[in-house]
Amino acid sequence: MRKRVELLDLWRTAAIVCMVVYHLLYDLYSFRVISPEAMFSPGLNIFERCIAGSFILLAGVSSRFSRSNIKRGLITLGCAMAVTLVSVLVGDPILFGVLHFLGCAMLLYGLLGKFFEKIPKYAAPILYLALFSAAYWVIYYKTQYTLVGVKFLFPLGLTAAGFYSADYFPLIPWFFLFLLGSWLGGILIELRKNREVRLLNVSVPPALTWPGRHSLLIYMLHQPVLYGAVWLIVSRG
């Protein structure tokens, strides 16, 4: 495996901190400490999208550094299935959240990465940005998700009537953002060959990169801890 770019771990750590803050607010909303109007305000909706977008971009970047995207994808998807099981048991199902998306995106890239890497590097970012922007507009603004009569197509962004997922990041449009990250990862690999680009080889204190290196573990553990802490505080209040 190629040597890690510690600035990417630092970026991932920042995204994790933001994610923990957002989920803390969501738990406070679940216990009616925060109103629905405040929780689902435009500002917090943008905040959530930026957090998820960071994880997706970073996962795309990491796809170019990974030894096995298939293995990464299977592990991530397995964790996502565990999240689904727990979320169904607590009555707030997550059927295709960001973790499900990342697992599927890694698997797809592991299978089709060589094809995507053949796209000219100067055309790829324009193509991916255009496809992401167009698909995002159609999915989230034009149609508010496309309704179809087939229930199992929701991973693609095609939902049946009555579909609900507490966290929902379908492959369309988000896979195009993942591919943009994979393009960026290829650029970083080329730049690192030039030793004059010192920024990509800078060392960051381990305390700031450790969360970024263990993001999946933190993702799986932080919400039960947060939820339990909020429940304890509210119930005693």
Side-chain angles (χ1 to χ4, degrees):
M1 184 179 292
R2 299 178 178 90
K3 184 181 177 182
R4 299 182 74 97
V5 179
E6 293 190 359
L7 283 181
L8 293 178
D9 288 325
L10 180 61
W11 181 7
R12 193 177 286 108
T13 293
I16 290 169
V17 171
C18 291
M19 174 191 69
V20 170
V21 170
Y22 181 83
H23 284 164
L24 174 60
L25 294 174
Y26 189 87
D27 290 340
L28 291 172
Y29 154 75
S30 298
F31 285 96
R32 300 182 181 179
V33 177
I34 294 179
S35 68
E37 293 77 17
M39 185 66 231
F40 301 107
S41 64
L44 277 181
N45 287 338
I46 293 172
F47 184 53
E48 181 208 17
R49 286 286 187 261
C50 288
I51 297 168
S54 290
F55 281 120
I56 291 169
L57 269 175
L58 285 164
V61 172
S62 298
S63 69
R64 297 298 295 269
F65 290 84
S66 175
R67 182 180 300 167
S68 175
N69 283 294
I70 298 292
K71 180 180 178 180
R72 288 174 66 226
L74 290 174
I75 292 173
T76 304
L77 204 53
C79 291
M81 293 301 103
V83 169
T84 293
L85 177 61
V86 173
S87 68
V88 169
L89 292 176
V90 300
D92 198 17
I94 297 175
L95 301 182
F96 203 81
V98 68
L99 212 58
H100 301 74
F101 164 80
L102 290 175
C104 290
M106 292 170 189
L107 288 174
L108 285 173
Y109 196 84
L111 295 171
L112 304 173
K114 295 300 181 182
F115 167 77
F116 294 119
E117 290 168 17
K118 291 180 180 179
I119 298 175
K121 63 181 180 180
Y122 298 110
I126 299 173
L127 175 64
Y128 297 150
L129 274 173
L131 289 173
F132 174 73
S133 300
Y136 189 97
W137 180 76
V138 170
I139 292 290
Y140 289 101
Y141 292 102
K142 184 67 175 178
T143 63
Q144 283 294 310
Y145 304 123
T146 301
L147 292 176
V148 295
V150 184
K151 293 183 177 180
F152 59 80
L153 291 179
F154 61 88
L156 298 177
L158 304 174
T159 59
F163 171 81
Y164 171 77
S165 180
D167 185 34
Y168 186 45
F169 284 85
L171 288 167
I172 300 172
W174 296 101
F175 188 57
F176 300 121
L177 189 63
F178 181 94
L179 290 177
L180 181 64
S182 72
W183 166 83
L184 179 59
I187 296 298
L188 291 179
I189 290 173
E190 292 184 10
L191 289 177
R192 290 193 74 188
K193 295 176 183 177
N194 181 358
R195 295 187 179 275
E196 294 180 3
V197 186
R198 297 178 181 178
L199 185 63
L200 298 179
N201 297 295
V202 69
S203 294
V204 179
L208 297 179
T209 60
W210 188 92
R213 291 171 181 261
H214 301 86
S215 56
L216 183 58
L217 176 64
I218 294 173
Y219 187 96
M220 295 299 294
L221 296 179
H222 82 285
Q223 186 64 312
V225 173
L226 285 178
Y227 191 89
V230 172
W231 174 81
L232 206 59
I233 294 171
V234 171
S235 63
R236 291 188 176 183

